[in-house]
């Protein structure tokens, strides 16, 4: 039994404080994942809180045979994020990662431009490709896990990730050929 399953078992046995362990272990990743889907606004924090609340309420329905707690929690966060996004007419672009201060101003501007182009390219991807790409590349889920989370065959997940990579590569290649 892994750490998450042990925490779930303890919570279901009445040790409510054990849920804090689950929150502490996964809160940052869930918030970052929601932000990747929704943008840098306050909605990511709301979705993160809603995901943990939903997990708390439905914890008894978690089945470790069907997948890890982490995958189950990410599925909840993905569904909440998609629902929130559908309700939004316009989404903010994700912020570029902090740029190293030792870079010259022109280098920082060039890096910022690349990150902004990548953000736009990621934002322009169809939602199914973006979600699959984020889960595999940024959250480290295996294709089989994403397949279960998304309810699609592994081959579908693989092709979604490949198409997302190809599009993002095009964006980088365009940047190199048009300095």
């Amino acid at each position: 039994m892994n750490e998450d399953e042990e925490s779930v078992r303890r919570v279901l046995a009445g040790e409510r404080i054990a849920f804090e362990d689950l929150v502490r272990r996964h809160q940052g990743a869930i918030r970052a994942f929601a932000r990747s889907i929704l943008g840098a606004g306050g909605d990511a924090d709301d979705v993160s809180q809603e995901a943990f609340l939903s997990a708390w309420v439905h914890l008894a329905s978690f089945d470790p045979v069907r997948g890890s707690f982490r995958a189950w929690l990410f599925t909840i966060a993905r569904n909440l994020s998609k629902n929130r996004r559908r309700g939004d007419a316009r989404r903010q672009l994700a912020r570029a990662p902090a740029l190293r201060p030792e870079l010259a101003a022109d280098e920082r501007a060039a890096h910022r431009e690349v990150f902004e182009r990548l953000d736009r390219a990621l934002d322009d991807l169809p939602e199914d490709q973006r979600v699959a790409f984020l889960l595999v590349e940024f959250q480290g889920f295996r294709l089989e896990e994403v397949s279960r989370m998304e309810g699609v065959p592994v081959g579908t997940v693989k092709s979604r990730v490949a198409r997302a990579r190809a599009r993002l590569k095009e964006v980088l290649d365009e940047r190199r050929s048009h300095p």
Side-chain angles (χ1 to χ4, degrees), residues 3 9 11 13 15 21 30 40 48 56 76-77 83 86 90 92 104 114-115 128 155 177 179:
E3 208 174 10
R9 185 198 61 73
V11 172
E15 198 177 324
D21 295 336
I30 292 295
S48 176
W56 170 261
I76 292 170
N83 290 341
R86 274 188 212 113
R90 192 169 166 317
Q92 284 184 314
V114 169
F115 286 125
D128 57 351
S177 64

Side-chain angles (χ1 to χ4, degrees), residues 35-54:
R35 188 175 296 123
S36 296
I37 295 173
L38 297 169
D43 286 349
D45 289 335
D46 293 346
V47 165
S48 176
Q49 289 177 359
E50 289 174 35
F52 283 103
L53 179 60
S54 182

Side-chain angles (χ1 to χ4, degrees), residues 28-119:
I30 292 295
R31 184 180 299 120
F33 178 63
R35 188 175 296 123
S36 296
I37 295 173
L38 297 169
D43 286 349
D45 289 335
D46 293 346
V47 165
S48 176
Q49 289 177 359
E50 289 174 35
F52 283 103
L53 179 60
S54 182
W56 170 261
V57 169
H58 300 287
L59 195 59
S61 71
F62 166 68
D63 181 4
V65 173
R66 295 182 64 204
S68 67
F69 175 80
R70 183 172 180 264
W72 184 71
L73 184 60
F74 269 83
T75 300
I76 292 170
R78 182 212 56 214
N79 291 340
L80 289 169
S81 296
K82 282 182 171 182
N83 290 341
R84 179 71 56 98
R85 185 177 163 108
R86 274 188 212 113
D88 292 344
R90 192 169 166 317
R91 172 168 112 62
Q92 284 184 314
L93 292 175
R95 297 265 187 240
L99 298 173
R100 297 188 328 248
E102 69 273 10
L103 294 176
D106 59 335
E107 289 176 307
R108 282 197 308 270
H111 281 104
R112 186 174 298 111
E113 180 185 332
V114 169
F115 286 125
E116 288 171 359
R117 286 181 80 168
L118 285 172
D119 284 342

